[in-house]
């Protein structure tokens, strides 16, 4: 008896699904008009779909959300489906669902934050040709309704490379990357070029941790590097880089006289480098290479609002857009170094220097 | 006459199965009142009703003449009813005192006043002659001692009426004597006792009156002084019971089981069977008699393939079955009624029906091309349940829900039904009542009369003497004597089992 | 109270209690539970797209739940479903990427590879348990980590050249269904749902109707009695882990050949395997129960995504509701007691 009831309930659910599905397939337009009625037609709306990090990841997603909030403030929009909003993904399986939810809520522009959303945006943008999408940190080609945002990380890395090349005493410099990928190699290449530009004698050792979330691995690698005489390490390794800071701070506490430095990435990581040695506050962060996702996100949203959505295009944000730069915290840099950095920055902006995207020997 | 407990017209059903039907039990102050019945007759159900674990569908309970609604064991405790369970409910890692006070701890400033508790436990144990060490861990004391702790637990909670659920089942003869003494002291101190049992000897020894129930129905209450074991047995079983099983002279035929200089190690790697020789013929029952731990278990395990034989040979009707896998041994025609029926004989969570094909489920007609034929399985189960008088609500009832005797009947039905050449029965009647014992003995003899070989292992001399056609005495892993049950005595067997006397090899008719 | 009734009532009451408790938490935190649950419902069944997504999410849950339930019914606790799922995922994608075959061969071959990989991942703890009595819980937990790092290594260094993901599987190995896409407005529902339902029927049939299932259940309930009855206990333990692992591996194939169409680096566990434990528990370790529990979990997980945007309720709340449901199922004694109280008062 109960079994039969179970079966009945089961078939009801499946039947409901199929019937709803059948309606949905043909009735797209009526649905659209229904939803439209609840929305002011002239209002420009924008949403972002996070990767699994969420909007409070102190990194990429958070920065993008800050950009959207600022865009909203500037244009008098409110958070919500009539203005700007975010949708968080709990797992990789949620990307497509969330992008579709954004489409269903009739957002005029939908951001996918991070390269992990690339396959999902590729697929959904083909299915929803009327919606506009943008992917941050990756490139989708040949889709008229998708704009791609990337950053010239090599340019920013070049500048911190200059700082490193001029600050090192041992002439040994290290780079720890998250994974050996094209993206991270851009960081490595720019950094290496920057060092060599000001200090040809310096040796840059490039290594990869293989992961962005292994702080212990980062600490091990940093320990080996500092042990071999390296005194500046630039990390482009996300949370793995936290281990580099830990190791540098430990060494600093053991031997406060020794100059060892970490260069932070993506945002100003001065906070991570703070260490108290014998009651005196010091900082092992030399400076950071910041990547202003917020600036890029805001810029593209503004363009789209003005009806100039750059569909199918690749937007590369670099030094001239202030989207990559050396961090404002530069307390540990001498004036000399700061001056050199500013000079090289001008040269790059003017196009006098072409920064490579692949390290030497690759 | 003053009654402390009156259970009047109690009825209790489980899903349509009537466990108690209009049962009346009246307990007088200061008496030991036996509750007698076969396994599964409904004794435990009735007592669980009294203790508040079950609610009766009909009938009423009076305590000291006042109607009482015993909705849970706490109410029973408050009314002064205490239960000494058959399976002890003790925390092994706690001390005796901690176990006794559990749930009713004397407190001093938020902490348990263990000194005071120990003092109290000592007082009670002296008053009732229950010698225990209040500071010993329960895990370290003997079963008999643990039972005393259970008794003390009820007394500590102020019980006036004590229910003993088959208290002697787990005890040694010496411990039984001590328990009887304790019960008599309790009565002297003004307590009243209900003793659940199916052992007639005990009733005759300590009880004043006895209430008999049979198949869930109350048969009546009699004074022990006006009855005898035979009468009680017939009341319990519902017909005349013979304590001496009737059987004809054995007609031994060809050799079925031949064991030659067998060596087997036990699970710990110690040599348990040492050069054992034994022959069992078709048409005879050979009883193996010996003190527990002299290699009986290992002998059975070696024959059935559960334990590897180190050396020697085991032949079944001339075929070598030494160290075959258990399934192959089974297929060759060996059936085994294991000593521990719960652990080895049944899958307790399976329905009784599925248990009936535990060895044969993969054979036709129960299985075809890897798919079970439940119709055939339950047809067989239904037939065996009827033939072997297994009392169960249905063949779909889990084996766990059956009483011990009925579980054993099911196992015997299953094993005998396979029509084996050799039937090994290890302690087949342990813990069973007279009715079930008689039934099982008859079945074993029936197998013999069908010209099958039966190997019986038992620690009870009565059973060995009663059933066997030949008795093989085992001592330290060897058969030290073969005797004729008609010519031997318990005394002689006792000496042989203790290893103090050996028959010369030449005298042994192996 | 009949056993069957309580088998059904306990999960249903648990789910209701979980939802009620969730509503109370929403009220306390200043959210509107009615609009919250309405958003949850809309996000799970609101239109054909979401129905499709719910069923898609349900698919791997069915397999993970069946894997846990199968092992549990045979007396084993398979915590390694997550790892078995990951290796199955990779194996399916590998075969799906590497070969060019007609669909009739390619898709079954990919699925078979997934099942075989999962089975292998179950075989190891099975053998260790059967031969050396190493507890399967410990081994399977460790095998999860081995699976995670091994699959990541293979994706990065062997199947792709330092990339974060493999190529998409060939059309001939894909479970994608254009029929479902048009039916559900481009949801990612794929043909795997059929396989999930078939797998549930297979598990039921195998356990309840076959000789093999009889043996496995028997060993699960009582190793001793099974040994005495002539069954090969070691073989059955190994077999049970292998079958359980195969179910889990197929769950991975659902993700690899259906939902995602590729395999990619995982920085942590996917969680589907662990949710499978909850699904099996809620489903009473029975095939039909697992299917229903998977539907519930799929609906909750997919519906939760819609809660913040439609009603402003954080979707973490659904995690709390799920946790509470599991809590109530686990404390089923309490619910049985409540039910018996309720029944009594009715009289």
């Amino acid at each position: 008896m109960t079994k039969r009831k179970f079966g009945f309930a089961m078939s009801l659910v499946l039947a409901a699904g199929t019937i709803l599905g059948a309606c949905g397939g043909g009735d797209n337009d009526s649905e659209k008009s229904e939803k439209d009625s609840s929305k002011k037609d002239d209002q420009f709306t924008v949403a972002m779909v996070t990767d699994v990090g969420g909007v409070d990841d102190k990194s990429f997603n958070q920065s993008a959300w800050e950009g959207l909030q600022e865009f909203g403030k500037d244009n008098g929009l409110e958070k919500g489906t009539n203005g700007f909003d975010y949708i968080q993904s709990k797992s990789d399986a949620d990307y497509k669902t969330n992008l579709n939810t954004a489409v269903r809520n009739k957002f005029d522009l939908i951001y996918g934050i991070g390269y992990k959303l690339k396959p999902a945006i590729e697929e959904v943008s083909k299915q929803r040709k009327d919606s506009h999408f943008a992917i941050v940190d990756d490139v989708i080609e040949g889709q008229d309704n998708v704009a791609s945002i990337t950053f010239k990380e090599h340019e920013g890395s070049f500048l911190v490379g200059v700082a490193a090349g001029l600050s090192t005493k041992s002439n040994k410099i290290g780079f720890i990357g998250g994974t050996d990928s094209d993206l991270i190699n851009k960081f490595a290449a720019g950094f290496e070029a920057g060092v060599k530009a000001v200090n040809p004698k310096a040796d840059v050792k490039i290594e990869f941790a293989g992961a962005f979330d292994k702080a212990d691995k980062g600490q091990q690698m940093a320990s080996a590097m500092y042990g071999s005489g390296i005194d500046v390490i630039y990390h482009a390794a996300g949370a793995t880089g936290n281990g580099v800071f830990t190791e540098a701070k430990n060494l600093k506490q053991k031997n406060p006289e020794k100059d060892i430095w970490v260069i932070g990435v993506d945002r100003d990581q001065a906070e991570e480098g703070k260490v108290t040695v014998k009651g005196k506050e010091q900082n092992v962060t030399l400076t950071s290479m910041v990547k202003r996702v917020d600036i890029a996100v805001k810029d593209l949203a503004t363009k789209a609002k003005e009806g100039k959505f750059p569909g199918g295009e690749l937007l590369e944000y670099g030094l001239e857009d202030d989207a990559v730069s050396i961090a404002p915290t530069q307390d540990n840099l001498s004036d000399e170094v700061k001056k050199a950095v500013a000079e090289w920055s001008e040269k790059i902006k003017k196009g006098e220097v072409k920064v490579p995207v692949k390290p030497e020997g690759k | 006459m003053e009654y402390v407990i009156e259970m009047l017209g109690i009825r209790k059903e489980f899903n349509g199965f009537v466990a108690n039907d209009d049962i009346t039990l009246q307990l007088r102050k200061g008496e030991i009142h036996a509750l007698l019945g076969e396994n599964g007759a409904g004794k435990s159900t009735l007592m669980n009703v009294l203790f508040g674990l079950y609610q009766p569908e009909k009938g009423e309970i009076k305590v000291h003449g006042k109607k009482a609604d015993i909705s849970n064991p706490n109410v029973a405790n408050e009314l002064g009813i205490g239960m000494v369970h058959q399976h002890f409910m003790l925390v092994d890692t706690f001390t005796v005192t901690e176990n006794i006070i559990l749930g009713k701890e004397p407190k001093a400033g938020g902490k348990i006043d263990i000194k005071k508790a120990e003092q109290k436990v000592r007082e009670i144990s002296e008053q009732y002659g229950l010698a225990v060490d209040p500071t010993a861990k329960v895990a370290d004391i003997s079963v008999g001692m643990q039972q005393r702790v259970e008794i003390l637990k009820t007394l500590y909670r102020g019980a006036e009426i004590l229910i003993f659920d088959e208290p002697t089942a787990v005890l040694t003869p010496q411990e039984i004597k001590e328990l009887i003494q304790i019960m008599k002291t309790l009565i002297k101190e003004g307590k009243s006792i209900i003793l659940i049992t199916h052992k007639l000897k005990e009733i005759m020894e300590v009880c004043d009156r006895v209430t008999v129930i049979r198949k869930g129905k109350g048969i009546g209450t009699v004074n022990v002084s006006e009855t005898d074991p035979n009468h009680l047995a017939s009341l319990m079983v519902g017909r005349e019971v013979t304590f001496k099983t009737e059987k004809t002279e054995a007609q031994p035929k060809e050799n079925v089981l031949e064991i030659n200089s067998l060596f087997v190690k036990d699970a710990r790697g110690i040599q348990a069977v040492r050069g054992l020789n034994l022959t069992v013929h078709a048409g005879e029952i050979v009883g193996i008699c010996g003190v527990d731990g002299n290699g009986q278990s290992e002998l059975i395990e070696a024959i059935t393939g559960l334990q590897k034989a180190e050396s020697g040979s085991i032949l079944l009707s001339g075929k070598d079955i030494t160290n075959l896998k258990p399934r192959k041994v089974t297929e060759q025609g060996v059936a085994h009624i294991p000593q521990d029926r719960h652990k080895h004989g049944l899958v307790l969570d399976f329905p009784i029906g599925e248990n009936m094909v535990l060895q044969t489920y993969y054979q036709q007609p129960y299985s075809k091309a890897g798919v079970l034929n439940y119709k055939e399985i339950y047809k067989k189960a239904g037939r065996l349940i009827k033939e072997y008088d297994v009392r169960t609500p249905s063949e779909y009832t889990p084996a766990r829900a059956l009483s011990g005797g009925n579980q054993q009947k099911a196992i015997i039905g299953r094993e005998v039904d396979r029509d084996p050449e050799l039937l090994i029965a290890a302690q087949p009647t342990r813990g069973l009542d007279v009715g079930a014992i008689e039934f099982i003995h008859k079945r074993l003899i029936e197998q013999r009369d069908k010209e099958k070989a039966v190997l019986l292992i038992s620690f009870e001399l009565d059973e060995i003497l009663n059933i066997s056609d030949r008795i093989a005495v085992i001592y330290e892993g060897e058969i030290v004597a073969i005797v004729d049950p008609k010519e031997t005595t318990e005394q002689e067997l006792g000496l042989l089992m203790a290893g103090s006397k050996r028959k010369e090899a030449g005298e042994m008719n192996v | 109270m009949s056993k069957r009734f309580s088998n059904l009532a306990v999960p249903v009451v648990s789910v209701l209690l979980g939802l009620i408790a969730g509503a109370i938490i929403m009220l306390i935190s200043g959210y509107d539970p009615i609009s919250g649950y309405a958003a949850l419902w809309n996000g799970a069944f609101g239109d054909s797209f979401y129905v499709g997504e719910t069923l898609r999410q349900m698919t791997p849950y069915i397999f993970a739940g069946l894997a846990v339930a199968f092992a549990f019914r045979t007396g084993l606790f398979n915590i390694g479903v997550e790892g078995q799922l990951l290796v199955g995922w990779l194996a399916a994608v590998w075969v799906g990427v590497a070969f060019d075959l007609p669909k009739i061969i390619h898709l079954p071959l990919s699925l078979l590879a997934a099942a075989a990989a999962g089975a292998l991942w179950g075989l190891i703890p099975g053998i260790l348990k059967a031969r050396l009595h190493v507890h399967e819980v410990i081994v399977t937990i460790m095998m999860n980590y081995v699976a995670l790092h091994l699959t990541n290594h293979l994706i990065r260094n062997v199947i792709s050249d330092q990339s974060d993901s493999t190529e998409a599987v060939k059309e001939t190995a894909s479970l994608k269904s254009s029929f479902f896409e048009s039916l559900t407005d481009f949801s990612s529902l794929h043909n795997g749902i059929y396989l999930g339902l078939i797998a549930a029927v297979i598990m039921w049939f195998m356990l309840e109707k076959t000789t093999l299932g009889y043996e496995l259940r028997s060993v699960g309930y009582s190793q001793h009695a099974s040994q005495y009855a002539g069954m090969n206990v070691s073989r059955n333990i190994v077999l049970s882990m292998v079958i359980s692992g195969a179910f889990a591996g197929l769950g991975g194939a659902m993700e690899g050949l259906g939902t995602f169409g590729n395999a990619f680096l995982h920085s942590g566990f996917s969680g589907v395997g662990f949710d499978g434990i909850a699904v099996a528990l809620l489903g009473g370790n029975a095939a039909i129960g697992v299917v229903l529990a998977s539907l519930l979990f799929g609906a909750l997980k997919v519906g939760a995504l819609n809660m913040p945007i439609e009603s402003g309720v954080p979707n973490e709340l659904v995690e709390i509701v799920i946790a509470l449901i599991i809590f109530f199922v686990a404390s089923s004694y309490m619910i049985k007691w409540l039910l018996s109280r309720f029944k009594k008062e009715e009289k």
Side-chain angles (χ1 to χ4, degrees), chain C residues 187-210:
Chain C
S187 82
S188 34
L189 178 60
H190 50 82
N191 288 324
I193 185 73
Y194 295 130
L195 298 175
L197 296 175
I198 292 168
V201 173
I202 289 176
M203 147 141 165
W204 167 79
F205 187 81
M206 192 152 60
L207 271 184
E208 307 293 341
K209 297 288 166 197
T210 66

Side-chain angles (χ1 to χ4, degrees), chain C residues 16 39 78 89 122 179 197 204 206 212 244 271-272 328:
Chain C
L16 289 176
N78 183 3
W89 184 336
F179 168 71
L197 296 175
W204 167 79
M206 192 152 60
L212 175 70
S244 171
V272 174
F328 287 122

Side-chain angles (χ1 to χ4, degrees), chain B residues 15 55 301 306 325-327 330 336 338 343-347 349-350 354-355 357-359 361-362 367 370-372 374, chain C residues 1-3 205 207-215 217-219 221-232 344:
Chain B
N15 295 331
Q55 303 306 313
E301 287 178 354
L306 292 160
K325 292 238 184 295
R327 169 150 299 168
T330 308
H336 177 198
K343 197 169 167 191
H344 297 138
L346 295 165
V347 177
D349 293 300
F350 267 2
E354 287 193 315
N355 267 301
V357 291
L358 211 53
Q359 292 97 346
Y361 62 93
Y362 61 95
S367 161
V371 178
L372 293 175
Y374 274 105
Chain C
M1 190 173 13
S2 84
K3 210 177 144 205
F205 187 81
L207 271 184
E208 307 293 341
K209 297 288 166 197
T210 66
T211 320
L212 175 70
Y214 177 90
E215 240 182 65
R217 282 185 294 133
S218 173
V219 171
Y221 281 133
S222 170
Q223 292 193 5
H224 290 289
S226 306
Q227 192 196 6
Y228 269 61
M231 299 175 196
N232 186 334
K344 226 180 183 181

Side-chain angles (χ1 to χ4, degrees), chain C residues 127-189:
Chain C
I127 287 178
L128 287 172
K129 164 101 178 177
R131 297 263 170 253
L132 303 169
H133 304 287
V134 186
H135 203 285
E136 76 275 10
V137 166
I138 293 164
V139 182
T140 50
I141 286 175
M142 293 198 283
M143 291 295 283
N144 282 340
Y145 287 95
V146 178
L148 176 66
H149 295 294
L150 181 71
T151 52
N152 279 353
H153 175 82
L154 290 174
I155 289 167
R156 175 159 283 279
N157 299 307
V158 180
I159 304 177
S160 80
D161 183 21
Q162 296 293 314
S163 159
D164 287 342
S165 64
T166 66
E167 291 166 41
V169 295
K170 301 262 163 58
E171 188 50 41
T172 48
S174 172
L175 281 169
K176 285 208 185 332
S177 152
S178 51
F179 168 71
F180 276 143
E181 276 184 5
S182 65
L183 200 66
T184 63
D185 191 22
F186 293 116
S187 82
S188 34
L189 178 60

Side-chain angles (χ1 to χ4, degrees), chain B residues 382-418:
Chain B
R383 178 173 59 81
L384 288 178
I385 286 169
K386 220 193 246 155
E387 271 178 34
Y388 288 83
D389 189 31
V390 181
R391 284 174 213 162
T392 168
S394 85
E395 52 265 48
Y396 301 98
T397 309
R400 186 183 293 285
L402 268 59
S403 69
N406 285 311
Q407 288 172 341
Q408 191 71 330
K409 285 185 200 164
I411 294 173
I412 286 167
R414 178 182 78 202
E415 299 300 322
V416 169
D417 192 60
R418 293 215 317 275

